[in-house]
Amino acid sequence: MLRKFSILAVAALAATCLNGLPAAADADGPEQIPNGTFDTTTDPWWHTGNLEFALTDGRLCTDVPGGTVNPWDAIVGINDIPLVKDETYAFGFFATGTPAKVARAYVQLPVDPYTQYISAAPEVSVSGNAYTYTFTSPVDLPDAQVVFQLGGSAEPWRFCVDDVSLRGGAEPEVYQPDTGPRVRVNQVAYLPKGPKNATLVTDATEALPWRLENADGETVAQGTTEPRGVDASSGQNVHSIDFGSYVTAGTDFTLTADGETSHPFDIKADAYADLKLDALKFYYTQRSGIEIDDALRPGYGRPAGHIGVAPNQGDTDVPCQPGLCDYRLDVSGGWYDAGDHGKYVVNGGISVAQLMSEFERTKNAPTAKAIGSLNIPESGDAVPDILDEARWEQEFLLKMQRQDGMVHHKIHDENWTGLPLLPHLDPQKRELHPVSTAATLNLAATAAQAARLFAPYDSDFAAQNLTAAKKAWAAAKANPALFADPADGTGGGAYNDSNVEDEFYWAAAELYITTGENEFKDFVLASPRHTADIWGTGGAMDWGNVAALGRIDLATVPNNLPGRDDVRESVIAGADKYLATVEAHPYGLPYNPATYEWGSNNLVINNAIVMAAAYDITGEIKYRDGVLESIDYILGRNALNQSYVTGYGEVASKNQHSRWYAHQLDTSLPNPPRGTLAGGPNSGIQDPVAQAKLDGCKPQFCYIDDIESWSTNELTINWNSPLSWISAFIADQGDGAVPAASTCKVTYTVHGSWPDGFTTQVTLENTGEKAIDGWSLKWSFLSGQKVVQDWNASLAQQGATVTATDVTYNKKIMPGQSVTFGFNGASAPGPNPVPDLFLLNGAACA
């Protein structure tokens, strides 16, 4: 009866650590704690059976055994504490910990669900400190509990407490975020030849002077601000600052205006090279079913979670919820979805799809570069690391498919668990939840994409995915309206979605690209989502809105869909919409709804991905610049003046909601790894921490970097996936210089094909004004096609990518002249479309 399972009722409010008396002494109401000073007795305080009380120097002390798992495994408490609705209380105590440990102090409902009206997690030290908190009771309650939860430590420790006080009549504390200097910048970096914008918060209505200073304090640029009026998303009167004319690289620049100086930032070409990798490295430490090697991620090593080793009850042999099915499945592996231990197909679907699309972009986009090493266990094999990481999740998705082709929606704990809790210590029973049409179509889409991308590296795995995709498609067609229950939210999120028209479209698009089959072509062309305006005023895509995934892949991955040019134009139209939003917004973000949604940061980035896709299609620099300005918001140019990516920026999120990146609650645990995106402002403020501190917030202010604020500060696999995609895009832009105009043209003709092969002729024309003296031409096949014989050029292949280099007699190509070469290839399952992209000596041809 004493344990707290549900994180949905946690409330943490304003707190101050003092060296003097608790602030409860400042409240004028009567004392509610019958014995908080422990002068002669510990009565009427109680403890769990694994503790004993001792009076030491007028303090209540207890030795807490090591080896407990949950905070509630060792508790000191007192019952029958009266609370009055709408009364503001001051709660305080003095505590020590030997050695120093995090204790949890709650005023709570004494029965399930143990709703907490004040939640605190101070790190109590050997010398001790006084702690004070205020909260307003939302209920009349004659018998509340005050408890100290002390469990969860591997080692034993001693806890002492004194001067416990709870008094009414306190003044409510008003939360004021520390927003730092009023000049808001991208705290990481701007590209030297890219756009550079900042926002000034000021009462002034007239233009103001600004100056840019380098690391030596020298003024290197100056100008005047542009007044923008009151920004509805923040409630602030703001000015814009454009310092894009300054193009010299350097570090530790600052921007000064209206007597305020910004946080420092860099201007350099390689500024996003680390983030490109760190945002992807996030996934290794989210893995389930494998030991996380501390040598690969120092400070993040941990035993494998959920491999059927006690106290875990999964995931190698998992039953369905009671009465649902008579079978059990091995659903080990995959990524933990967020800060809990659940694994959800619809969240995993968009996540793995965006990782695979990030890789696929390296085959089809003019500016894309190789991803690089992620330092994971598979590094060094013949497969790109990003695909190895994606495979870890894709294999889990395949395991969630039952024999008839339908896919279970999710697998997670029977009940919610508390924080912190490492995966291997989770004692909860694991359960499979019902199959759903949405989950089944997610597998159809990702497996179809995996089939073409893994074909050059593992043809058996590719074939397994294609079989699963087709089986899932047929099952979804036969069961088009099996929806997840919105009430199925005990122990994990519901992730319910009652409109799967977009999932059908996405799955059909991926299956068509991979197979070229008429069934999928016809479905795509007939789908209302194919021609609809899917570019929402909020976000273009998220786990419940996936049509854009299919539309963008149809536009950017080679295929022979009738009317494909119209598809590409529709993506450009979506980018125009988001670019207009960027240009109109004084904080320069491509997202401007009246209220911000849960996970707004991922919506901002997904909208930027639409602009990035338009840039890849058109080469028009305005779309690229829209992306670069959008990332400024994520990295500090926002109302809160903070970066939402851990480890990036002078002030950055670091306490995202997580059971194992829980340093805020247990200092022996780490913060989230570098490159972890926080969910960001959420006008709904559904968690009690946010409700207590952010009530009435303007959209941009509806965020707090607190581990218990799961509605504003969650981390998830489907939020880091767009971050990794867009970080790679930005890193690929170099110093931001405008690419040179094309000086070549390629004609690629498949002259004939037979069941297991084809022959192709390639003509490379010099359309420039200078001779080409030595050439290398690169392109990629859609899937598992392979070169087997060449002539008039030397061809080499790595994965799906082919590089043709000159031979002695055709090394030089004069302006207006061309060379022709050819090859025979081995076919692969599916179509063999003409590549969209050819790179001559690294530059795109027409």
Side-chain angles (χ1 to χ4, degrees):
M1 68 175 180
L2 303 174
R3 290 190 291 178
K4 168 70 173 62
F5 290 106
S6 175
I7 64 168
L8 300 179
V10 176
L13 295 126
T16 306
C17 175
L18 304 173
N19 292 316
L21 292 175
D26 298 329
D28 56 15
E31 179 61 66
Q32 303 300 309
I33 304 296
N35 175 22
T37 58
F38 311 110
D39 293 331
T40 60
T41 181
T42 61
D43 292 338
W45 289 77
W46 52 262
H47 57 76
T48 48
N50 56 350
L51 301 179
E52 295 291 341
F53 283 160
L55 281 177
T56 304
D57 298 326
R59 298 172 182 169
L60 182 156
C61 295
T62 186
D63 291 317
V64 184
T68 55
V69 175
N70 303 296
W72 54 79
D73 290 343
I75 302 178
V76 171
I78 188 169
N79 295 337
D80 300 323
I81 306 300
L83 296 177
V84 177
K85 184 178 181 181
D86 297 328
E87 180 69 30
T88 299
Y89 292 89
F91 173 51
F93 55 90
F94 178 91
T96 66
T98 308
K101 292 288 180 181
V102 172
R104 290 160 185 80
Y106 303 138
V107 179
Q108 67 180 27
L109 187 71
V111 295
D112 193 12
Y114 302 100
T115 304
Q116 297 164 359
Y117 309 117
I118 172 66
S119 167
E123 182 179 11
V124 292
S125 65
V126 174
S127 59
N129 286 297
Y131 302 90
T132 68
Y133 309 87
T134 61
F135 70 99
T136 300
S137 174
V139 295
D140 285 315
L141 187 67
D143 58 349
Q145 283 181 333
V146 172
V147 298
F148 295 94
Q149 293 187 358
L150 309 173
S153 173
E155 62 179 345
W157 65 293
R158 185 171 178 83
F159 171 76
C160 294
V161 66
D162 197 3
D163 296 327
V164 184
S165 178
L166 181 70
R167 292 178 181 269
E171 287 293 324
E173 292 198 34
V174 178
Y175 173 71
Q176 291 288 344
D178 181 2
T179 58
R182 290 184 287 104
V183 182
R184 311 293 161 80
V185 298
N186 178 329
Q187 295 175 24
V188 176
Y190 300 87
L191 302 188
K193 297 179 181 177
K196 303 174 191 69
N197 294 279
T199 300
L200 169 68
V201 179
T202 177
D203 293 331
T205 57
E206 302 294 328
L208 298 169
W210 60 262
R211 68 180 184 276
L212 177 68
E213 295 182 351
N214 63 19
D216 295 325
E218 301 168 335
T219 298
V220 294
Q222 54 191 335
T224 55
T225 64
E226 177 188 355
R228 301 293 295 272
V230 176
D231 164 44
S233 69
S234 65
Q236 300 166 321
N237 188 72
V238 295
H239 293 201
S240 293
I241 298 172
D242 183 346
F243 58 106
S245 61
Y246 186 78
V247 297
T248 303
T251 61
D252 293 327
F253 289 91
T254 56
L255 196 62
T256 298
D258 198 26
E260 296 274 321
T261 299
S262 73
H263 290 305
F265 57 88
D266 296 342
I267 299 175
K268 59 180 184 178
D270 61 351
Y272 291 85
D274 288 343
L275 182 56
K276 173 180 179 176
L277 298 178
D278 285 342
L280 282 171
K281 289 179 179 180
F282 162 86
Y283 289 94
Y284 174 53
T285 52
Q286 287 292 117
R287 287 190 190 186
S288 175
I290 187 175
E291 177 187 2
I292 304 305
D293 188 347
D294 198 69
L296 298 178
R297 296 292 185 278
Y300 292 89
R302 58 171 172 81
H306 299 98
I307 56 172
V309 176
N312 285 168
Q313 299 188 54
D315 288 350
T316 58
D317 186 32
V318 181
C320 292
Q321 289 178 297
L324 182 64
C325 73
D326 60 359
Y327 54 82
R328 304 169 76 95
L329 294 180
D330 177 356
V331 290
S332 56
W335 299 319
Y336 295 118
D337 170 66
D340 61 354
H341 303 131
K343 299 185 291 188
Y344 309 85
V345 170
V346 294
N347 245 23
I350 187 173
S351 304
V352 75
Q354 288 191 304
L355 262 64
M356 289 191 291
S357 292
E358 180 180 339
F359 170 76
E360 197 156 30
R361 181 179 176 270
T362 65
K363 297 167 56 178
N364 302 312
T367 61
K369 309 294 191 299
I371 304 298
S373 173
L374 301 180
N375 199 25
I376 56 179
E378 299 83 0
S379 293
D381 64 11
V383 182
D385 279 6
I386 188 172
L387 289 185
D388 278 326
E389 190 59 68
R391 180 169 180 161
W392 192 262
E393 176 70 2
Q394 186 60 29
E395 288 181 338
F396 158 72
L397 299 180
L398 292 169
K399 292 178 180 180
M400 292 289 279
Q401 186 175 39
R402 69 185 189 189
Q403 289 186 350
D404 67 351
M406 294 297 290
V407 176
H408 286 277
H409 198 72
K410 56 180 182 171
I411 177 260
H412 57 64
D413 292 340
E414 182 180 24
N415 294 295
W416 285 107
T417 57
L419 283 73
L421 184 64
L422 287 163
H424 69 286
L425 298 177
D426 175 19
Q428 285 286 317
K429 176 186 175 184
R430 305 283 275 180
E431 294 178 331
L432 290 166
H433 290 246
V435 297
S436 72
T437 307
T440 303
L441 290 167
N442 267 259
L443 178 63
T446 63
Q449 188 176 15
R452 65 179 181 262
L453 292 179
F454 282 94
Y457 307 102
D458 187 337
S459 59
D460 290 341
F461 184 61
Q464 178 190 1
N465 274 277
L466 186 56
T467 298
K470 289 186 172 183
K471 190 175 183 179
W473 174 262
K477 291 289 293 293
N479 300 276
L482 288 180
F483 303 133
D485 182 357
D488 186 13
T490 300
Y495 289 98
N496 53 295
D497 183 359
S498 60
N499 185 338
V500 293
E501 187 179 85
D502 53 322
E503 281 85 359
F504 269 111
Y505 176 72
W506 174 34
E510 298 297 348
L511 278 160
Y512 171 71
I513 293 170
T514 298
T515 69
E517 294 176 9
N518 288 336
E519 176 187 0
F520 308 117
K521 177 191 71 176
D522 293 344
F523 192 97
V524 165
L525 295 175
S527 171
R529 296 300 177 106
H530 188 56
T531 54
D533 181 1
I534 59 174
W535 317 110
T537 55
M541 51 193 155
D542 57 32
W543 66 264
N545 298 278
V546 293
L549 295 173
R551 186 85 66 87
I552 290 173
D553 275 2
L554 286 169
T556 59
V557 179
N559 65 85
N560 296 317
L561 185 73
R564 185 177 177 225
D565 286 345
D566 293 335
V567 178
R568 293 161 75 89
E569 287 297 327
S570 76
V571 174
I572 295 167
D576 285 334
K577 177 184 291 187
Y578 296 129
L579 182 60
T581 303
V582 170
E583 292 171 345
H585 203 294
Y587 275 103
L589 64 156
Y591 176 81
N592 196 27
T595 58
Y596 279 24
E597 301 168 68
W598 193 315
S600 62
N601 283 342
N602 101 100
L603 301 177
V604 170
I605 299 174
N606 275 320
N607 292 351
I609 286 176
V610 179
M611 292 186 287
Y615 176 65
D616 287 343
I617 293 168
T618 67
E620 292 187 38
I621 209 71
K622 64 180 181 179
Y623 299 117
R624 187 211 64 179
D625 286 355
V627 173
L628 295 178
E629 189 164 0
S630 298
I631 202 66
D632 294 344
Y633 168 83
I634 297 296
L635 296 176
R637 186 192 172 197
N638 53 58
L640 287 170
N641 198 17
Q642 69 147 89
S643 166
Y644 290 111
V645 180
T646 303
Y648 285 84
E650 190 81 2
V651 179
S653 299
K654 62 181 181 180
N655 295 310
Q656 290 94 319
H657 181 78
S658 171
R659 280 162 177 72
W660 57 101
Y661 311 131
H663 186 78
Q664 185 179 346
L665 299 178
D666 184 342
T667 53
S668 69
L669 296 174
N671 290 119
R674 279 173 55 86
T676 300
L677 180 68
N682 171 16
S683 298
I685 55 172
Q686 289 88 346
D687 67 83
V689 171
Q691 290 168 353
K693 295 190 176 184
L694 306 177
D695 185 45
C697 54
K698 291 290 185 180
Q700 282 202 52
F701 282 101
C702 296
Y703 170 83
I704 184 169
D705 185 25
D706 189 296
I707 194 169
E708 300 285 13
S709 183
W710 38 265
S711 70
T712 78
N713 201 33
E714 195 175 19
L715 59 83
T716 76
I717 56 175
N718 64 302
W719 295 347
N720 250 65
S721 57
L723 176 66
S724 68
W725 196 107
I726 210 68
S727 299
F729 174 89
I730 296 171
D732 291 346
Q733 305 310 309
D735 66 358
V738 177
S742 172
T743 60
C744 53
K745 178 181 178 181
V746 172
T747 303
Y748 182 100
T749 307
V750 178
H751 279 297
S753 58
W754 49 96
D756 59 354
F758 61 98
T759 186
T760 299
Q761 179 174 291
V762 182
T763 299
L764 169 61
E765 180 184 355
N766 181 354
T767 60
E769 298 179 352
K770 296 181 180 179
I772 299 170
D773 191 6
W775 54 269
S776 173
L777 188 70
K778 182 182 292 187
W779 70 90
S780 294
F781 293 129
L782 174 70
S783 182
Q785 295 83 2
K786 294 187 181 298
V787 173
V788 296
Q789 182 183 19
D790 57 52
W791 54 90
N792 291 342
S794 177
L795 273 62
Q797 184 172 354
Q798 184 173 20
T801 300
V802 179
T803 302
T805 55
D806 62 74
V807 290
T808 305
Y809 54 83
N810 61 11
K811 178 179 179 182
K812 181 172 288 191
I813 311 174
M814 300 302 293
Q817 294 185 347
S818 62
V819 298
T820 298
F821 62 91
F823 65 92
N824 290 330
S827 297
N832 183 24
V834 174
D836 285 344
L837 175 68
F838 295 89
L839 296 173
L840 174 63
N841 296 338
C845 293

